[in-house]
């Protein structure tokens, strides 16, 4: 069965295509070998939901796109978007543990076998990223981009940190604030253990709890009351951006992606080790119309 996405996925994939095009143009005549990682690759295409229809299931760890429900249009997935750029990467790594989606990627690999070097890892994102970072790569010989577009809050901070530690990767991240994270934060602060563990792995610590909740004690003998902060969403976004900046050195302005009704869904973020890469990412995330003129070799 072909995966289904909301129409807002077009905006996300267009931004990805623009940035990958910018990145590979900048490095076209440079000596480094380039690597592209799609850690949550999915299949080669998806159906776009156009009309409203309630979702059949609801899983806080796997975000539901309940706003739209009728399939009328196909959309290239992120693997094909990356493969279709004019100046390809030296190597592509796609991580996809689901058997049916992996079959689609096998077909995509066969289609591009004469023009692209593709490695398909039928494993979860964390395992795939660990495999890549264990290879004989270094910032002296390689440059890379990792697209981290998880289902819900499935991205572990340890994987993001391992990419940063190489000193050669930039990342484009789907920070699923409204589609997943906010749904796991009850007003009374009584977060189920499974959700709290997931959020600890997502943010890399339990610091998220202090950004979401505050404690108020009323009266001398009163118990402490936990309440949700009014600005918790903004605080969580800034916490994640701060983590990215500490890990990579530079982090972009967030790009908010909304659904067809204008409601916020998630943010796209870029992080990387070079200021000129930040300039390119910020331009694309803010405007998306024209690519900036950036000196080659400066990312």
């Amino acid at each position: 069965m072909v995966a289904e996405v909301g129409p807002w996925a077009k905006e996300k994939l267009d931004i990805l295509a623009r940035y990958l095009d910018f990145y590979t143009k900048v490095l076209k005549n440079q000596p480094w070998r380039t690597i592209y990682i799609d850690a949550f690759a999915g299949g080669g295409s998806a159906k776009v939901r156009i009309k409203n229809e309630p979702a059949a299931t609801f899983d806080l760890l796997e975000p539901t796109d309940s706003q739209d429900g009728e399939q009328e249009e196909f959309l290239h997935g992120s693997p094909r978007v990356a493969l279709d750029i004019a100046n390809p990467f030296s190597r592509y790594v796609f991580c996809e543990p689901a058997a049916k989606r992996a079959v689609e990627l096998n077909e995509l690999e066969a289609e591009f076998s004469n023009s692209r070097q593709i490695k398909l890892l039928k494993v979860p994102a964390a395992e795939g990223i660990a495999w890549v970072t264990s290879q004989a790569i270094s910032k002296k010989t390689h440059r890379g981009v990792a697209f981290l577009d998880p289902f819900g809050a499935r991205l572990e901070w340890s994987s993001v940190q391992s990419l940063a530690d190489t000193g050669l990767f930039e990342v484009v991240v789907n920070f699923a604030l409204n589609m997943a994270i906010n749904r796991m934060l009850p007003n009374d602060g009584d977060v189920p253990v499974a959700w709290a563990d997931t959020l600890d792995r997502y943010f890399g610590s339990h610091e998220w709890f202090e950004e979401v909740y505050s404690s108020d004690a009323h009266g001398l003998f009163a118990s402490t009351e936990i309440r949700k902060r009014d600005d918790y969403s903004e605080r969580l976004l800034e916490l994640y951006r701060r983590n990215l900046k500490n890990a990579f050195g530079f982090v972009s302005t967030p790009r908010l992606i909304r659904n067809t009704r204008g409601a916020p869904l998630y943010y796209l973020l870029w992080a990387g080790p070079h200021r000129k890469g930040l300039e390119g990412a910020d331009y694309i995330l803010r405007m998306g119309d024209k690519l900036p003129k950036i000196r080659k070799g400066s990312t």
Side-chain angles (χ1 to χ4, degrees):
M1 182 177 178
V2 177
E4 302 171 9
V5 297
W8 49 86
K10 297 178 185 179
E11 183 179 358
K12 171 180 65 180
L13 293 172
D14 180 63
I15 290 169
L16 175 66
R18 288 176 183 270
Y19 187 73
L20 296 182
D21 183 62
F22 155 74
Y23 182 88
T24 54
K25 281 180 179 177
V26 167
L27 296 186
K28 182 178 180 181
N29 297 317
Q30 300 303 312
W32 301 296
R33 290 182 56 79
T34 54
I35 307 170
Y36 174 77
I37 305 172
D38 197 328
F40 302 85
S45 63
K47 292 179 179 179
V48 179
R49 288 185 294 276
I50 303 300
K51 295 186 178 179
N52 298 324
E53 181 178 293
T57 60
F58 184 73
D59 184 346
L60 292 179
L61 298 183
E62 298 288 341
T64 57
D65 302 334
S66 59
Q67 291 86 354
D68 298 306
E70 184 176 301
Q71 302 83 28
E72 295 183 353
E73 181 184 354
F74 283 92
L75 185 67
H76 289 325
S78 55
R80 181 178 285 276
V81 167
L83 291 167
D84 277 341
I85 59 176
N87 299 293
F89 285 79
S90 304
R91 191 174 193 187
Y92 293 81
V93 179
F94 300 138
C95 305
E96 180 48 62
K100 291 182 179 179
R101 292 172 180 170
V103 168
E104 293 182 49
L105 292 176
N106 280 328
E107 295 172 353
L108 199 60
E109 182 180 12
E111 180 182 343
F112 284 88
S113 60
N114 294 327
S115 59
R116 306 286 190 268
Q117 184 179 353
I118 301 171
K119 177 71 172 180
L120 174 57
L121 300 176
K122 299 177 183 179
V123 299
E127 188 175 338
I129 291 172
W131 180 86
V132 172
T133 56
S134 70
Q135 301 303 296
I137 56 176
S138 77
K139 61 182 178 181
K140 294 182 179 179
T141 56
H142 292 77
R143 293 289 187 270
V145 175
F147 184 44
L148 308 177
D149 186 24
F151 300 102
R154 297 292 187 182
L155 177 61
E156 297 183 8
W157 180 256
S158 59
S159 296
V160 181
Q161 185 67 58
S162 69
L163 290 167
D165 289 344
T166 67
L168 66 94
F169 278 105
E170 301 178 0
V171 294
V172 178
V173 186
N174 175 342
F175 181 62
L177 183 59
N178 293 84
M179 289 190 74
I181 296 170
N182 282 355
R183 298 178 180 182
M184 301 166 69
L185 302 170
N187 290 333
D188 61 2
D190 187 15
V191 183
V193 173
W195 295 358
D197 288 345
T198 296
L199 291 170
D200 286 352
R201 291 191 296 270
Y202 189 88
F203 287 96
S205 72
H206 199 64
E207 188 177 355
W208 58 269
F209 190 89
E210 298 301 322
E211 300 296 339
V212 176
Y213 301 103
S214 65
S215 302
D216 293 324
H218 300 286
L220 182 61
F221 301 104
S223 60
T224 300
E225 179 183 352
I226 302 295
R227 66 176 183 84
K228 213 170 188 179
R229 299 180 187 273
D230 293 337
D231 61 345
Y232 74 93
S233 290
E234 292 83 357
R235 294 173 71 106
L236 284 178
L237 175 59
E238 288 311 306
L239 170 63
Y240 202 76
R241 291 185 71 241
R242 187 164 64 248
N243 289 347
L244 286 173
K245 185 174 182 179
N246 289 339
F248 288 89
F250 298 95
V251 63
S252 71
T253 301
R255 170 69 172 265
L256 176 61
I257 306 296
R258 299 178 181 271
N259 66 14
T260 52
R261 297 173 179 173
L265 292 175
Y266 53 84
Y267 291 90
L268 285 183
L269 295 166
W270 171 96
H274 302 289
R275 182 175 296 278
K276 288 299 182 180
L278 170 64
E279 292 175 9
D282 263 346
Y283 189 95
I284 292 167
L285 288 168
R286 286 171 172 168
M287 301 181 66
D289 292 328
K290 298 178 181 179
L291 296 177
K293 294 181 179 180
I294 294 181
R295 180 172 55 86
K296 291 185 178 181
S298 58
T299 64

